[in-house]
Amino acid sequence: MRIISGSLKGRSIIAPSNLPTRPTTDFAKEGLFNMLQSRLDKDYSELAILDLFCGTGNISYEFASRGCKALTCVEVDFKCFEFIRKTMTAFALPGVKVVRNDVFLFLKICKIKFDIIFADPPYEMPNIEKIHQQVFERQLLKSGGMLIIEHGVKTNLGKLPHFVEKRSYGNVNFSIFELKDSPSEWKK
């Protein structure tokens, strides 16, 4: 894994091999951030971002490197949590909160609204759509906010409310949802 842009551009992250993760490929991550950059109407430093099932922290490091100062990472696995916490400390990234909790329990108690919620659950997780359901039922997105769910090729989330598009990068897929109930803060 490498950080592709921002203050930490080019830095490699070498996670221990015993972590139960499947990090987003650099190719898919670059595609994701290119898409975000084309839609983004604000600087990353102005955004509140939530990274669910953050695993190695791959996506979180990218957001933090690009200047995000209000970033919450949620991971239940203790080894992953410790790795992310130590890496964020080593990189001296401000405004990053690393939370060790079950994602669904966290979503039930969360009272903060976010500009972007990124979720990278295990591809084989049953009921992946439950992430979407909790985010929108709990109203966790700000006006114009985006939910991005990473998933495998067999998962189809296109019929869920607020679906905007699906982006594919090899075996990595991102389903993108946007809260359009009021004026969007994203470029069209």
Side-chain angles (χ1 to χ4, degrees):
M1 291 181 295
R2 68 180 173 85
I3 298 175
I4 57 176
S5 189
S7 64
L8 300 172
K9 180 180 180 177
R11 297 279 299 261
S12 291
I13 297 125
I14 301 171
S17 60
N18 65 343
L19 296 182
T21 63
R22 172 210 22 82
T24 304
T25 64
D26 286 349
F27 172 66
K29 182 172 62 170
E30 190 163 4
L32 171 68
F33 278 89
N34 285 340
M35 179 276 300
L36 285 173
Q37 194 62 44
S38 71
R39 290 176 176 237
L40 199 57
D41 197 18
K42 290 182 174 181
D43 186 72
Y44 283 100
S45 65
E46 300 174 54
L47 301 176
I49 298 173
L50 176 61
D51 184 1
L52 303 171
F53 304 96
C54 56
T56 61
N58 188 14
I59 298 296
S60 289
Y61 305 134
E62 198 66 48
F63 278 121
S65 177
R66 291 167 186 247
C68 180
K69 292 179 175 39
L71 173 62
T72 302
C73 314
V74 180
E75 175 58 51
V76 72
D77 183 83
F78 181 73
K79 289 178 186 172
C80 290
F81 166 79
E82 280 295 304
F83 176 74
I84 296 163
R85 192 181 58 75
K86 288 177 183 175
T87 304
M88 290 291 188
T89 300
F91 287 160
L93 295 168
V96 178
K97 181 178 180 183
V98 184
V99 177
R100 183 169 179 246
N101 200 344
D102 175 85
V103 164
F104 296 106
L105 293 176
F106 177 85
L107 291 174
K108 282 183 182 178
I109 62 169
C110 183
K111 296 185 185 319
I112 301 169
K113 290 185 183 254
F114 298 92
D115 296 288
I116 299 172
I117 298 176
F118 179 83
D120 183 9
Y123 283 4
E124 68 282 351
M125 184 181 95
N127 301 321
I128 264 181
E129 61 277 351
K130 187 177 177 185
I131 300 163
H132 171 280
Q133 177 186 355
Q134 282 194 282
V135 165
F136 284 98
E137 281 182 1
R138 301 266 308 129
Q139 301 176 1
L140 298 177
L141 286 173
K142 292 180 181 180
S143 172
M146 296 177 74
L147 167 65
I148 303 165
I149 301 176
E150 182 177 332
H151 57 83
V153 295
K154 294 180 183 178
T155 302
N156 181 1
L157 303 175
K159 293 184 180 178
L160 295 174
H162 307 284
F163 179 79
V164 176
E165 70 175 305
K166 177 180 148 188
R167 297 270 179 126
S168 298
Y169 302 92
N171 292 328
V172 178
N173 296 270
F174 300 111
S175 284
I176 301 158
F177 306 87
E178 184 175 347
L179 183 61
K180 295 181 178 182
D181 296 338
S182 47
S184 178
E185 296 174 2
W186 303 94
K187 294 177 186 173
K188 298 296 178 209

